[in-house]
Amino acid sequence: MTDHIGISFSTGEIMGSSIRETLRTIGDMKDYYRDEGARRNLDPEKVVYRVQAFMPVAEGEQGGLFFGTTFVEPGVVGDEYFMTKGHFHGNRNRSEYYLTVQGAGALILMDENRRTVFEPMRPGSVHYIPFNTAHRVANTGDSVLAFLACWPSDAGHDYGTIASQGFGARLRKIKGVATLVEEP
Ligand code: S6P
Ligand code: ZN
């Protein structure tokens, strides 16, 4: 039998003894932001986001589903919002759902031709991430952004492509407004 888990619909926090947690700090985000000098001037221990994951089968196994919540803190590095690293799924033909619980943000999506768009995230917004699509979330608000995710257990994660090539555009805070700016 699967372990019992529960979720708070107000915060997105998942409760259960088998929940795994991952933290990403400013120190973990080297070279992800446009302004690397601004990142280096911040406290490397500062948390950018935290991920809770419920993984009832082994990672890579076919046929299962994983479930998790990501909490992205408010903040900027230079003029770029605190955001997740972003990834393609290692198995490119695997899709995913995101569902926003609290806060305000943007889901940044990039297809294989580097065409990059974003969808506003607000409590209750549901986002279907198609296969072959890199995905990253930025917190554009002043409070924690929390969203649920559900993805296949054999999706896998390709972080290397984003780490080396980035997205086709960056979401920047320009005159107070979230603006998607194409990268050269
Ligand atoms: C997994 C899913 C999310 C992210 C999480 C952190 O497929 O998309 O759980 O892992 O939002 O983002 P990232 O890019 O650091 O994995
Ligand atoms: Zn994913």
Side-chain angles (χ1 to χ4, degrees):
M1 274 300 285
T2 309
D3 293 341
H4 286 287
I5 59 166
I7 187 161
S8 159
F9 280 159
S10 54
T11 64
E13 193 79 25
I14 307 174
M15 280 84 56
S17 55
S18 56
I19 302 302
R20 299 181 210 179
E21 291 224 2
T22 312
L23 282 184
R24 297 285 181 223
T25 63
I26 285 288
D28 294 323
M29 298 298 287
K30 186 176 181 315
D31 294 331
Y32 275 92
Y33 290 95
R34 185 171 158 268
D35 189 345
E36 175 58 15
R39 187 199 64 86
R40 271 200 307 271
N41 282 336
L42 296 174
D43 176 2
E45 302 296 319
K46 189 172 171 54
V47 172
V48 179
Y49 60 102
R50 171 169 70 98
V51 184
Q52 295 188 304
F54 177 58
M55 306 172 97
V57 300
E59 181 141 38
E61 196 171 301
Q62 274 183 31
L65 287 171
F66 293 153
F67 177 77
T69 302
T70 303
F71 303 86
V72 187
E73 295 296 321
V76 286
V77 177
D79 67 3
E80 222 174 328
Y81 300 97
F82 276 18
M83 63 185 183
T84 61
K85 289 184 171 182
H87 56 270
F88 281 100
H89 289 149
N91 270 325
R92 293 287 175 117
N93 61 354
R94 296 296 188 272
S95 309
E96 183 164 7
Y97 278 110
Y98 280 2
L99 190 160
T100 314
V101 178
Q102 56 163 327
L107 169 60
I108 302 160
L109 299 167
M110 178 177 76
D111 71 16
E112 287 201 304
N113 300 315
R114 297 186 58 76
R115 201 181 77 89
T116 304
V117 297
F118 79 92
E119 297 179 0
M121 298 174 79
R122 56 190 181 288
S125 65
V126 179
H127 306 268
Y128 178 68
I129 300 166
F131 55 82
N132 276 326
T133 305
H135 40 293
R136 158 182 285 169
V137 168
N139 184 343
T140 58
D142 301 324
S143 60
V144 171
L145 168 70
F147 62 94
L148 310 183
C150 184
W151 68 103
S153 51
D154 63 350
H157 295 91
D158 167 14
Y159 289 104
T161 302
I162 298 303
S164 61
Q165 298 166 23
F167 278 67
R170 290 179 179 276
L171 195 68
R172 293 164 57 184
K173 186 175 187 174
I174 297 178
K175 293 182 181 157
V177 180
T179 311
L180 198 60
V181 182
E182 274 190 31
E183 281 286 284

